Structures are given as C-alpha cells and as structure tokens.
Amino acid sequence: MNTGTVSHSGVVGRFAPSPTGLLHLGNAWSFLLAWLAAKTEEGRIILRHEDIDPVRSRKNWMDAIERDLQWLGLDWDEGPDDGPHAPYRQSLCSPLYEKALDLLKARHLVYPCYCTRRELRLLAGAPHGAADGLGDAGAAYPGTCRHLSTQERARKEAEGRRPSLRLLCPDDTEETFDDLVLGRQRIPLKNCGGDFALRRSDGVWAYQLAVVVDDMRMGVTQVVRGEDILLSTPRQLLLYRLLGGMPPVFAHIPLLHDKDGERLAKRHQSLSLAALRERGCRPENIIGFLAHLAGFQENPSPLSPAALAERIRREGGFPWHALPKTHILIPDNPEHILLS
Ligand code: GLU
Ligand code: ZN
C-alpha cells in the first residue's frame, strides 16, 4: 500500500471480528464494505480479534477468520499478531481497559451494580435483558444501584453478590454524529440503555469500553459496522469524550437477511464461507454477489475485491449515499449464484 506516490487520506479502518464461530456471508458483506471504504481512499485496515468473552471465543475461530479473509482477498495492513499497536487481541488488553476504568473512577463516574440479570429483566419489564448491550440497547437500566449507601453495598457483598461496574451517564445528553450511510443522527443517551456496564459481574470487560479503548489507541478513524450496533455508538461517543479521544467517523451499514427476514448469522451454516468454499464456491463469486447487493454493479458478475476497489476509485470514490439504508434481503437460493 505505501507506495509513496499517492497522498494518503489517513483513513484507518478495522476488521473487529468476535472469534465465536465461522465467518458467514453477512460477515463477508460487512468486511468487504469496511475494506473497500478504506482501500478506495488509500487507507489502511487493522485486524483485531475481539476475543473478549473467554467462554465463547476460541483460537481456532481466529485462525479460521484469518484464513477466510485471506481467501476472500480482503487483506489487512496491521495485526493480529505483531505491529505498532499490539496486542491485537482483546483478551490480552486487560491492563489497558483497567487504566481507562481507573480514569473514569477518578472522575466518580463508575459505580457497582448488584442487580442480577433476572432482576434487571423484572425492573425493565423487558423480555430480554440487554445489560451488556452489544446489539439493541433494550429497556433502559433504571439506575437502581446508582445511589446505594455504603451499608447497602456491604450488605449485597455479604450476600455474596458480585457487582458489575456501570458508567454513570449524564441524564439529559444526546449525541449527534454524521453517519456516512444514515446521515445525521441525534440520539438521546437515555434511548441507549441508560447507565451501561463497563465490566460484567464475572469480570469480563464490556464491549463498549473495550472497543473504544482499542479503536482509540489504534488510531482508527473510520468504523464500518452493522446498523444493529447503532445504539452503541452514542455510548461510545460519550466514552470518547470522557477518555479524551477523537472519535472515528461511523458508517452503520444495513445487514443481510434471509428470505424469512432473519438476519444472516452463525446458525446459517450453509452460508459460512468455509462451507461455500468446500462446495466449490470461488471468492470472486461472493464478492460479485455482494457488490451487486450493494448496488455497485447491475448483476452479480464475479470479480476480485481489488478489481472492485479499482472500479469504485475510477468512478469517483465510495458511493455511501447509494448504499441501501434498510436491511437487505438476499435472494431465495443464493447458492445458485454463489456456486455457479
Ligand atoms: N466484535 C464486534 C462484533 O463482532 C465488533 C463490533 C464493532 O464493529 O464495533 O460485532
Ligand atoms: Zn443495579
């Protein structure tokens, strides 16, 4: 990439997969767009494994993710083993998250929450608790443990309860940002789940804190990710402000859904990249198919990511405005196209 002949835009994008299963078509979609958005601007891509959840993350998934990305032709410029911003594995970053937590604690913005998942569900009256909030924020945490007295805390501790740690969020704040896909967003923080967790009661770091610390320290300037994470963004913008970091530009892209309207996910095993590869699918077929869904070409003709990037560059740059804004339904039997 660093040929020295072009001026560099300085875009730093990233792949931030959670190694909890095989990559599927929906992941390929997100990563292709993240890759194109950086590469069509002479930018760089970092690969960071978000293996923050010790129970669900596996080394063999990390290896499989790297293999699948390479097979697709989506290369990265930095990570995941060694480089200027190592470590590139969240499981190795605890001291960094601890440091950020200490900064927030020093400002009296962190408090222990002793609520169990069950209690949170009852409090919120919601069918599913979303205390850790990777996806939708769910019903807001009502701030139950915000003002517990020292005695009340001691009593909970004596009962053997282990607290999660929550960020005390300002009550009437809203976050404003210009999303590359969705346009200007103005979202009250109270719509995003209320005081959110920074560390779970089992000691696992929360996604919100980890992702901000890592994007900040790695100098990430452009985050392309699924619109299912949109309500995390105001929380992350608040953390950027509190930690004194410069937030990236965000692009929340529509996700792929199957014919029943269900989001493509790990359970769509036949659409894992590994399964498609084993059935003889070529990476160019996948890229051509996805480029068609994105509106970059009229039909799903096969092509390589590099050729697609070249075409986008020639045609004037990444057409953010042309991307569909709502979720995308993939054709009934995508294998027809993918395996042709
Ligand atoms: N590891 C997260 C995921 O798999 C990344 C979210 C993000 O891009 O911020 O969804
Ligand atoms: Zn609580």
Side-chain angles (χ1 to χ4, degrees):
M1 272 313 298
N2 290 309
T3 57
T5 54
V6 271
S7 68
H8 286 254
S9 69
V11 166
V12 180
R14 40 65 153 191
F15 299 143
S18 301
T20 56
L22 286 173
L23 294 188
H24 52 79
L25 204 55
N27 301 122
W29 162 255
S30 304
F31 291 144
L32 173 63
L33 294 184
W35 186 88
L36 286 170
K39 293 295 159 169
T40 55
E41 298 220 35
E42 309 300 336
R44 312 171 54 242
I45 286 274
I46 297 173
L47 171 58
R48 175 176 79 228
H49 288 298
E50 303 216 317
D51 58 342
I52 201 169
D53 185 331
V55 177
R56 295 174 61 221
S57 305
R58 301 265 150 75
K59 177 73 172 83
N60 61 314
W61 299 131
M62 290 182 226
D63 297 340
I65 286 167
E66 292 174 31
R67 191 186 59 224
D68 289 346
L69 285 171
Q70 266 157 359
W71 174 72
L72 276 176
L74 301 181
D75 54 357
W76 53 91
D77 303 278
E78 209 185 302
D81 298 317
D82 202 17
H85 301 101
Y88 298 91
R89 284 179 55 178
Q90 291 190 325
S91 61
L92 304 175
C93 295
S94 279
L96 302 170
Y97 307 145
E98 197 79 56
K99 216 158 115 188
L101 181 69
D102 285 344
L103 282 173
L104 299 169
K105 276 182 180 165
R107 298 178 63 176
H108 308 288
L109 291 172
V110 182
Y111 66 89
C113 164
Y114 295 90
C115 301
T116 61
R117 273 175 183 272
R118 200 182 122 73
E119 283 168 344
L120 290 173
R121 267 201 303 276
L122 291 174
L123 282 169
H128 303 288
D132 316 311
L134 212 167
D136 293 336
Y141 175 68
T144 317
C145 299
R146 256 195 191 195
H147 305 294
L148 290 182
S149 65
T150 320
Q151 291 94 315
E152 283 167 316
R153 284 184 188 160
R155 193 162 46 80
K156 305 259 187 202
E157 299 274 346
E159 284 169 13
R161 293 206 189 193
R162 284 198 304 163
S164 64
L165 297 178
R166 287 184 185 271
L167 182 73
L168 188 78
C169 295
D171 277 328
D172 287 314
T173 323
E174 58 180 21
E175 296 288 340
T176 307
F177 61 101
D178 289 309
D179 191 278
L180 290 171
V181 180
L182 302 172
R184 173 145 282 224
Q185 301 292 305
R186 174 172 289 201
I187 307 178
L189 214 57
K190 65 172 186 304
N191 293 4
C192 303
D195 293 349
F196 56 89
L198 301 169
R199 209 177 65 193
R200 295 187 340 202
S201 60
D202 59 4
V204 172
W205 295 100
Y207 157 70
Q208 310 291 357
L209 181 71
V211 83
V212 168
V213 168
D214 286 329
D215 281 339
M216 230 167 93
R217 71 186 183 84
M218 291 179 180
V220 169
T221 63
Q222 179 175 273
V223 167
V224 178
R225 60 187 179 194
E227 49 102 18
D228 57 322
I229 301 183
L230 182 65
L231 291 184
S232 284
T233 301
R235 294 178 260 185
Q236 293 173 15
L237 287 170
L238 173 63
L239 283 175
Y240 273 98
R241 229 178 13 260
L242 295 173
L243 296 171
M246 173 77 164
V249 172
F250 292 96
H252 291 92
I253 56 171
L255 294 177
L256 303 189
H257 291 67
D258 69 12
K259 62 176 192 316
D260 302 318
E262 226 189 305
R263 194 159 92 200
L264 291 199
K266 283 164 185 148
R267 66 184 169 280
H268 290 80
Q269 284 183 14
S270 64
L271 295 179
S272 77
L273 301 182
L276 290 168
R277 179 171 58 234
E278 268 157 39
R279 292 164 70 195
C281 175
R282 292 180 309 132
E284 292 81 6
N285 287 37
I286 295 180
I287 304 297
F289 175 78
L290 297 174
H292 174 59
L293 291 179
F296 295 155
Q297 57 177 3
E298 260 171 57
N299 43 53
S301 352
L303 85 174
S304 71
L308 179 57
E310 183 48 41
R311 184 194 294 171
I312 290 174
R313 248 184 251 121
R314 230 181 15 243
E315 290 173 1
F318 196 94
W320 288 110
H321 54 276
L323 272 190
K325 294 198 182 358
T326 53
H327 65 258
I328 297 177
L329 289 186
I330 63 168
D332 215 355
N333 192 349
E335 285 91 340
H336 266 333
I337 298 165
L338 295 169
L339 301 174
S340 65

